[in-house]
Amino acid sequence: MSRSFFPEANQWKRRDVLRTLFFTAGAVGSASWLVGCGGSDSTAAAPTPGIGDVPDGEELPEIVDELLGRFADIGPLQDADIHGVRSPQGFATRIVAINGELPQPEGMDASAPQTGGIGNQPWHIFPDGGGVVPRENGGWIYISNSEVPGAGTLGFTFPELAGLSTAIEEFTPGLAQVGTLVFDPDGTIVDSYTILSGTTFNCAGCVTPWNTWLSCEEFPNGQVWECDPYQPGEGLARPTLGFFSHEAIAIDPGERMLYLTEDMPDGRFYRWIPDPSDWPEGSDRAALQSGRLQVLAVRGEGVDAALDAPQAIEWLDVQNPHEPQHENRLPASTVFDGGEGVWFFKGIVYFATKGDDRIWAVDTLSQTIEVIYDRATAVAPNDILSGVDNLFVTTQGDILVAEDGGDMQVVVILPDGTLKPLLQIVGQDASEVAGIAFSPDGRRMYFTSDRGGRNGVGGFTNGLGMVYELILPNDL
């Protein structure tokens, strides 16, 4: 089961949680840095509260102890290193995978491809969402989606063609996959293998509290696939989680619910409630075979008012849950323009929407929603974040946001609302940053350049994808 790694002494005032930009977004997951989709230290499910209500008998904590953030004292970005990455003084990088090449035990040579290598095949193209699971020997496994488009992707690019592209997709196997890099405790790469193939446009996903990987297909009839990261194999489709342009997932193991984003201009925000037999109380995991798919509707004064204050929400059962949701929209549900990363912590679900460059916070206890970062109204110097995409939260309350385009940065939102760049990839402006995950000890951070690659003369430029490792200073 997932457990919180947040200091037990901290107490929380829920109103401050929402009003201070990620103030409480702390530790999540089955290890302090591992789970890319959130966690909870609650242990028992509770009835779903009504619109805007606090459940009977529930007392909200009154005290918030200020968090400083792990990255509060980092300095400005230095010049780009030999790998084309700018980072603060004291940080270092290595490249651990490049498309079309076999991974190397000590990482990839910056000057040119190397002969030999490890694994069952060269590294996949377009590496996108990623996560980490621990190994019994103290090592870890980095998991990476391959965002290769297919026939169904035509409906993602041109929504009016979604019906046609979905039909074609049924008869054309996808070319996407999910690959892994297996690390020993000292960071040596010892293996690489595939855990899913034959899918389409696998974007982000989620490491579950029971250490499987949920991989999301991002096209109008896409599904979620559950994979075992500890051995080569193929994943299992989980149709109960719906058919839509899946982006990412967050899990609340205490309340036994999943939250899902949809990356379409007219996308929605979903939650999945398992049937009692699918995830019994006290069970370590969900079977992910039967449950209710619901869609969010903003009530109160509406979405625009959520820029200034929390608004009540309601959850509606979707129409025809086993059919593509773009064909079964509920008029009463709320549109979210391009849903991206999502994270759960202590009753708050954070998610990003790229169409309007916003970060949202859903309070699952009071059943409200609020915008807590809005690029259009951000004021300098805190207006450096654009193209919001993948999210990751550290144990000290830093929010790491990867940019899809923008300035090709990973930007940190500190607990006090200050924004700082953690890194920047240069010379790859046609790419995006994704796949943020940490080694179990938090000393190494992984991230991808979805469309980066070698330039043929000992450097890096736009290409078919690569995976980086950021090595953090010992005193951080």
Side-chain angles (χ1 to χ4, degrees), residues 21 31 34 71 142 155 234 293 366 392 458 469:
L21 286 184
L34 299 185
F71 297 106
Y142 179 73
E234 297 296 335
L293 186 65
S366 64
F392 190 99
E469 179 184 81

Side-chain angles (χ1 to χ4, degrees), residues 244 248 250 258-262 267-271 294-297 315 329 333-336 339-342 349-352 362 369:
F244 55 88
L258 277 65
Y259 295 88
L260 309 95
T261 51
E262 180 182 20
R268 302 298 198 267
F269 186 69
Y270 301 88
R271 78 175 180 185
Q294 298 184 318
V295 63
L296 186 143
W315 293 97
R329 300 295 194 199
S333 62
T334 298
V335 173
F336 292 97
E340 293 288 345
V342 60
V349 182
Y350 303 98
F351 68 96
V362 174
I369 190 170

Side-chain angles (χ1 to χ4, degrees), residues 69-80:
R70 186 183 192 191
F71 297 106
D73 295 327
I74 61 174
L77 301 184
Q78 305 296 301
D79 293 340

